[in-house]
């Protein structure tokens, strides 16, 4: 079955071989490995000999090692290819081998002297072959001298305690103008025989840009599982060159088309290997400059065999291929299962499909389905079984999917009232789904001090007494079609503050209003949290001894809102609430407060989680009296100095602008109402600025803020006209309000409303 076709002008041989492309590369790699291993053993031995220290202990006899007394290059400094580089040596004792290792542009090489008859001198021979030594510098790297009883010494080029001196004296130049330092490329390829019958020969014409020692062309027969290879070998003095390779067709060769799969070129005296694949992948064993020629047209490497006596048939899949893998975002790693076939295949080919359409370039057993590309689609794979003696047979797996889309969630933050009874919410986040489509659902999992808060999956959360002083975080998750998601952790920076003034007195968390009549009776007007009043309840009498009344929120840290009152002597009293609307006892918490013209309850002004008090003196200085959360005080500080001379009313406005900081509301003597936003750290957001709520507010004899009246979680404020109308102004969550409504009358009978 083997035959040779030798080109007339070039000595060579060709024939039929059947190793696969991988087998050829492995054979070449094994030879290269043996050579490199020998170099590595010598090098490692030299290093170990240089660094291993003898352990402390009794002095032992040191084995003498052979030494080189001299080593000199005896060949010219410039050596013509085809001759030898020579080196003369003299040793300290009879030796059996001396080997020198040199480095040129193609890698490491070695020359050696070796003899069964030990000698103290000799000459190392290093052949400079014309087909493998390009022009350029050659550098001596190390030398090893050995004896018959396996004692040896290695000398390295770099400085060490064993040295041959300056080894650059051993370096030399190679002059070889016929060998170009460039990998050979296929410049032309054509089939001299397009079709053949048994007994005929198929010929292939080819040209290379540089010299080579072997070229192997690997075809596959119609089964795509059997390799038909033929190899050209020859001796070419220099490139470029042209040649012909051929292979005979026998009666065993099946009918059908034969396709060129790879071209394997050995050059530089078999020191370098270059393999071109039909799939466009090129394997190189040497890092040499590539030849600047176009890519090979593998379609020209095709021929047909006409042999009706050997017709290949297809086989069937007894079990369809499948897909193994787990859907994950952003990437799902999928593996093709080969299925089962009537005959055992020797190999497989794969083509992945997206919604039934082939995916370009995806022909491996694994496929990485990315949500950005494949999201929302169904994936299948066509498996082609390759069996010698049978035509390639294909089956398509059932599709899997839809593949999870890519979901990205960004920029979330927690806003709202971070105090007990307040509602916080996740806002400002954005999500992208690629490719667009499907249904996206946002869920949130809240945590208290790192522990999951059970049963809370909405993206808003009402803080409870259990959250007081705690660190709150949320994990917002965007899920698309239930199978792809992205999670964004968001931390709430301030800890949860104590219950704010607007949370009422009767434990239902809704706005309540206190009112004192002219007889000194104090009443609580609770609301239902939906914009209506509940029946009022009388708290008690004798409250006309106080000239200032306010609700500071939870002052003593027991989770219930309280009341403060200043008498005419300047004493300040705390009335702790009982959580049912009552304030049965009192305790004095200060004195000398008669120096202040106004006392204000702003909530937690400095952001430490405890409610605070502000006081405005008669010089229009504003002082912050921080609460300690246990019914007492921290050190006061001046937060405004002598610039509110035109202000005739100041009240706490709560978190009226939608952010987690408390604000004040102030009216000037001309009737303009303004918001003075806090900065959350004990001061004001603006040094002298404010947000205006407009003019004409001097129609109200009283203005106050007691919480959320209509249940939309936005603080509202109220005004009482001289006629007694109670007007509620609904906050809009920013620095304005969204309307007002009269919700009561006869409120002009009261001397204090708070």
């Amino acid at each position: 079955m083997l035959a040779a076709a030798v080109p007339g002008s070039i000595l060579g041989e060709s024939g039929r071989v059947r190793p696969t492309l991988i087998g050829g590369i492995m054979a070449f790699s094994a030879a290269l490995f043996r050579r490199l291993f020998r170099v590595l053993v010598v090098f490692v031995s030299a290093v170990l000999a240089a660094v291993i220290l003898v352990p402390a202990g009794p002095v032992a006899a040191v084995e003498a090692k052979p030494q080189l007394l001299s080593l000199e290059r005896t060949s010219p400094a410039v050596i013509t290819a085809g001759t030898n580089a020579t080196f003369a040596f003299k040793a300290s004792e009879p030796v059996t081998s001396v080997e020198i290792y040199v480095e040129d542009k193609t890698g490491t090489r070695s020359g050696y002297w070796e003899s069964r008859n030990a000698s103290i001198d000799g000459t190392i021979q290093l052949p400079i072959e014309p087909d493998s030594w390009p022009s350029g510098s050659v550098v001596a790297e190390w030398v090893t001298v050995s004896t018959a009883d396996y004692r040896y010494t290695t000398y390295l080029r770099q400085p060490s305690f064993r040295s041959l001196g300056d080894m650059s004296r051993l370096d030399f130049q190679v002059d070889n103008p016929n060998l170009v330092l460039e990998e050979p490329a296929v410049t032309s390829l054509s089939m001299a025989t397009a079709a053949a019958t048994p007994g005929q020969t198929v010929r292939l014409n080819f040209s290379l840009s540089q010299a080579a020692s072997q070229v192997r062309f690997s075809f596959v027969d119609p089964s795509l599982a059997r390799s038909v290879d033929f190899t050209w070998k020859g001796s070419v003095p220099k490139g470029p060159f042209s040649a012909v390779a051929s292979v005979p067709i026998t009666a065993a060769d099946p009918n059908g088309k034969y396709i060129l799969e790879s071209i394997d070129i050995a050059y530089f005296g078999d020191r370098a290997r270059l393999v071109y694949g039909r799939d466009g992948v090129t394997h190189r064993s040497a890092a040499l400059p590539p030849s600047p020629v176009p890519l090979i047209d593998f379609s020209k490497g095709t021929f047909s065999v006409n042999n009706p006596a050997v017709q290949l048939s297809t086989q069937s899949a007894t079990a369809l291929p499948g897909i193994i893998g787990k859907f994950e975002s952003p990437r799902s790693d999928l593996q093709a299962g080969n299925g089962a076939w009537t005959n055992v295949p020797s190999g497989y080919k794969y083509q992945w499909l997206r919604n039934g359409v082939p995916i370009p370039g995806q022909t491996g057993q694994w496929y990485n389905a990315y949500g950005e590309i494949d999201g929302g689609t169904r994936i299948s794979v066509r498996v082609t079984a390759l069996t010698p003696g049978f035509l390639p047979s294909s089956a398509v797996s059932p599709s899997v999917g839809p593949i999870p889309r890519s979901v990205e969630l960004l920029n979330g933050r927690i806003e709202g009232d971070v105090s007990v009874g307040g509602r916080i919410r996740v806002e400002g986040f954005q999500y992208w789904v690629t490719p667009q489509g499907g249904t996206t659902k946002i869920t949130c999992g809240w945590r208290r001090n790192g522990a999951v808060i059970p049963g809370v999956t909405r993206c808003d959360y009402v803080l409870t007494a259990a959250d007081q002083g705690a660190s709150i975080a949320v994990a917002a998750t965007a899920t698309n079609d239930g199978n792809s998601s992205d999670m964004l952790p968001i931390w709430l920076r301030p800890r949860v503050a104590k219950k704010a003034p607007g949370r009422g007195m009767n434990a239902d968390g809704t706005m309540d209003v206190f009112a004192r009549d002219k007889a000194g009776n104090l009443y609580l007007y609770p609301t239902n949290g939906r914009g209506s009043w509940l029946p009022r309840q009388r708290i008690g009498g004798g409250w006309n001894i106080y000239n200032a009344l306010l609700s500071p929120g939870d002052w003593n840290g027991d989770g219930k809102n309280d009341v403060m009152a200043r008498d005419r002597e300047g004493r300040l009293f705390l009335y702790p609430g009982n959580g049912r609307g009552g304030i049965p006892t009192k305790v004095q918490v200060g004195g000398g407060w008669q120096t202040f013209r106004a006392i204000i309850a702003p909530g937690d002004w400095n952001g430490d989680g405890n409610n605070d008090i502000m006081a405005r003196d008669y010089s229009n200085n504003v002082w912050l009296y921080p609460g300690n959360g246990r019914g007492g005080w921290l050190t006061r500080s001046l937060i405004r100095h002598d610039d509110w001379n035109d202000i005739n009313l100041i009240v706490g406005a709560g978190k009226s602008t939608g952010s987690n900081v408390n604000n004040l509301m102030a009216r000037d003597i001309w009737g303009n109402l303004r918001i003075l936003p806090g900065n959350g750290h004990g001061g004001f957001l603006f040094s002298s600025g404010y947000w205006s709520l407009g003019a004409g507010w001097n129609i109200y004899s009283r203005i106050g803020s007691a919480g959320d009246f209509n249940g939309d979680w936005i603080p509202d404020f109220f005004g009482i006209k001289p006629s007694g109308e109670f007007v509620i102004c609904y906050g809009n969550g920013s620095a304005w309000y969204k309307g007002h409504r009269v919700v009561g009358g006869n409120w002009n009978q009261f001397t204090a409303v708070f």
Side-chain angles (χ1 to χ4, degrees):
M1 293 175 60
L2 300 179
V6 182
S9 61
I10 299 177
L11 177 64
E13 55 180 312
S14 66
R16 176 195 297 261
V17 292
R18 298 183 185 273
T20 63
L21 169 61
I22 299 302
I25 294 176
M26 289 176 64
F28 170 75
S29 300
L32 181 61
F33 175 77
R34 288 193 295 272
R35 187 169 188 173
L36 293 178
F37 181 74
R38 183 179 180 186
V39 173
L40 181 61
V41 168
V42 172
F43 178 75
V44 171
S45 300
V47 173
L48 290 176
V51 302
I52 294 178
L53 301 178
V54 178
V59 177
V62 178
E63 184 181 44
K65 293 187 177 183
Q67 305 293 321
L68 282 179
L69 302 179
S70 66
L71 177 65
E72 302 296 335
R73 176 172 44 78
T74 54
S75 53
V78 178
I79 301 177
T80 303
T83 61
N84 290 349
T86 57
F87 306 87
F89 70 87
K90 181 171 287 188
S92 62
E93 61 177 286
V95 297
T96 55
S97 71
V98 180
E99 192 162 10
I100 184 170
Y101 292 86
V102 299
E103 183 90 13
D104 75 344
K105 296 176 181 178
T106 66
T108 302
R109 306 165 182 258
S110 66
Y112 59 89
W113 171 89
E114 194 169 48
S115 175
R116 292 183 179 180
N117 300 318
S119 175
I120 63 171
D121 56 16
T123 300
I124 302 170
Q125 301 287 336
L126 177 58
I128 309 300
E129 297 97 343
D131 63 347
S132 66
W133 286 82
S135 296
S137 299
V138 182
V139 177
E141 293 292 346
W142 72 86
V143 179
T144 298
V145 55
S146 305
T147 64
D149 58 355
Y150 306 109
R151 291 176 294 113
Y152 64 88
T153 300
T154 297
Y155 299 90
L156 304 179
R157 185 180 183 92
Q158 59 265 36
S160 65
F161 69 92
R162 291 193 186 95
S163 174
L164 286 173
D166 185 2
M167 289 179 64
S168 65
R169 69 183 185 278
L170 306 176
D171 302 343
F172 58 93
Q173 296 281 327
V174 171
D175 180 22
N176 189 6
N178 291 330
L179 185 62
V180 179
L181 190 66
E182 182 180 282
E183 64 182 25
V186 178
T187 56
S188 69
L189 173 70
S190 65
M191 299 301 304
T193 307
T197 59
Q200 294 181 333
T201 298
V202 176
R203 291 179 172 81
L204 182 150
N205 300 322
F206 69 93
S207 298
L208 298 187
S209 63
Q210 302 296 339
S213 55
Q214 176 178 297
V215 184
R216 183 171 68 238
F217 299 88
S218 296
F219 288 76
V220 289
D221 73 2
S223 71
L224 302 184
R226 174 175 169 265
S227 177
V228 178
D229 303 340
F230 43 95
T231 302
W232 173 90
K233 288 185 178 181
S235 176
V236 181
K238 61 181 294 185
F241 75 99
S242 299
V244 178
S246 64
V247 65
I249 302 302
T250 72
D253 292 323
N255 187 79
K257 181 183 291 187
Y258 290 65
I259 300 172
L260 178 62
E261 286 289 306
S262 66
I263 304 172
D264 187 348
I265 304 171
Y267 63 105
F268 281 169
D270 292 340
R271 284 181 56 79
R273 200 72 167 270
L274 179 64
V275 182
Y276 296 101
R278 187 183 187 90
D279 57 3
V281 178
T282 302
H283 299 276
R284 295 177 170 89
S285 66
L288 298 178
S291 179
V293 297
L295 296 177
I296 302 169
D297 185 359
F298 273 81
S299 66
K300 295 180 178 180
T302 303
F303 66 92
S304 298
V305 170
N306 184 11
N307 187 7
V310 183
Q311 296 279 359
L312 301 186
S313 61
T314 59
Q315 60 173 327
S316 301
T318 57
L320 287 177
I323 295 179
I324 306 167
K326 181 180 179 181
F327 288 163
E328 295 179 313
S329 180
R331 189 183 80 181
S332 301
D333 296 330
L334 306 179
Q335 180 184 12
N338 294 320
W341 302 83
T342 52
N343 296 276
V344 179
S346 60
Y348 300 91
K349 287 192 172 184
Y350 307 93
Q351 176 60 65
W352 290 88
L353 313 172
R354 181 188 299 124
N355 289 337
V357 178
I359 305 173
Q362 299 303 320
T363 56
Q365 189 174 8
W366 287 84
Y367 177 61
N368 297 326
Y370 286 91
E372 293 182 354
I373 301 173
D374 300 298
T377 69
R378 300 190 67 84
I379 300 296
S380 55
V381 62
R382 180 188 299 119
V383 177
T384 301
L386 307 179
T387 309
F390 292 88
L391 290 173
S393 304
S394 299
V396 178
S397 73
S399 64
V400 296
I403 298 298
R405 290 178 167 86
S406 174
V407 180
E408 188 175 15
L409 187 61
L410 297 172
N411 301 331
R413 65 183 185 276
I414 299 176
E415 295 286 2
D417 183 355
V418 190
S419 62
V420 173
R423 186 185 70 137
I424 55 177
R425 61 200 179 277
V426 181
E427 285 188 355
F429 59 76
Q430 299 171 300
Y431 66 86
W432 286 266
V433 177
T434 309
Q436 294 182 356
T439 301
T440 302
K441 181 180 179 181
I442 306 295
T443 58
C444 293
W446 295 88
R447 291 177 177 267
R448 177 193 302 125
N449 293 331
V452 173
I453 303 175
V456 183
T457 58
R458 290 169 51 92
C459 289
D460 60 346
Y461 172 58
V462 178
L463 296 162
T464 68
D467 300 312
Q468 180 174 307
S471 175
I472 300 295
V474 64
T477 302
T479 304
N480 180 268
D481 283 350
N483 63 3
S484 59
S485 63
D486 187 33
M487 190 271 289
L488 178 68
I490 309 169
W491 288 268
L492 184 61
R493 297 181 65 181
R495 292 181 177 269
V496 178
K498 294 177 174 61
K499 186 178 290 188
R503 295 294 160 219
M505 295 294 295
N506 57 6
D508 64 359
T510 61
M511 164 182 164
D512 299 327
V513 177
F514 282 100
R516 182 189 62 187
D517 63 17
K518 297 176 182 178
N521 297 303
L522 186 65
Y523 296 92
L524 178 68
Y525 285 80
T527 70
N528 64 3
R530 298 185 300 275
S532 299
W533 301 100
L534 296 177
R536 75 174 185 176
Q537 63 186 77
R538 184 176 180 273
I539 301 300
W543 286 81
N544 49 7
I545 65 174
Y546 298 116
N547 58 15
L549 295 169
L550 63 151
S551 175
D554 177 15
W555 187 258
N556 58 6
D558 64 356
K560 307 174 184 66
N561 278 1
D562 308 315
V563 171
M564 277 188 177
R566 182 189 65 184
D567 65 15
R568 292 178 177 83
E569 297 178 10
R571 295 177 297 176
L572 192 64
F573 295 92
L574 174 69
Y575 284 81
N578 63 8
R580 298 184 300 276
I583 43 177
T585 61
K586 71 176 180 178
V587 57
Q588 185 175 343
V589 292
W593 286 76
Q594 72 275 12
T595 60
F596 298 111
R597 61 185 294 185
I599 303 175
I600 307 152
D604 176 18
W605 191 258
N606 59 5
D608 65 355
N610 302 314
N611 290 308
D612 306 315
I613 293 296
M614 286 184 185
R616 179 188 182 194
D617 64 23
Y618 286 93
S619 298
N620 289 312
N621 298 310
V622 180
W623 299 84
L624 177 66
Y625 284 81
N628 65 6
R630 300 182 302 276
W633 307 91
L634 300 176
T635 304
R636 77 171 186 171
S637 61
L638 181 65
I639 60 173
R640 208 79 180 193
H641 178 66
D642 191 25
D643 61 349
W644 281 359
N645 299 328
D646 60 343
I647 300 298
N648 62 11
L649 181 146
I650 306 173
V651 295
K655 296 167 182 175
S656 56
T657 57
S659 62
N660 185 41
V661 292
N662 286 299
N663 308 305
L664 298 183
M665 184 179 295
R667 183 184 64 187
D668 63 24
I669 57 178
W670 299 282
N672 301 302
L673 193 63
R674 60 188 70 168
I675 294 289
L676 303 172
N679 62 11
H681 306 293
F684 292 90
L685 184 62
F686 307 126
S687 60
S688 60
Y690 54 86
W691 290 319
S692 174
L693 288 175
W697 292 89
N698 48 9
I699 65 172
Y700 296 103
S701 56
R702 299 182 187 278
I703 293 177
S705 176
D708 174 24
F709 185 77
N710 59 354
D712 63 358
W713 295 98
I714 301 173
D716 305 315
F717 63 97
F718 63 86
I720 299 175
K721 294 182 178 181
S723 61
E725 290 181 325
F726 190 104
V727 179
I728 194 77
C729 298
Y730 300 110
N732 68 352
S734 63
W736 197 246
Y737 64 100
K738 58 187 177 184
H740 61 275
R741 182 168 67 96
V742 176
V743 295
N746 297 321
W747 284 78
N748 52 358
Q749 63 178 302
F750 298 115
T751 59
V753 179
F754 61 98

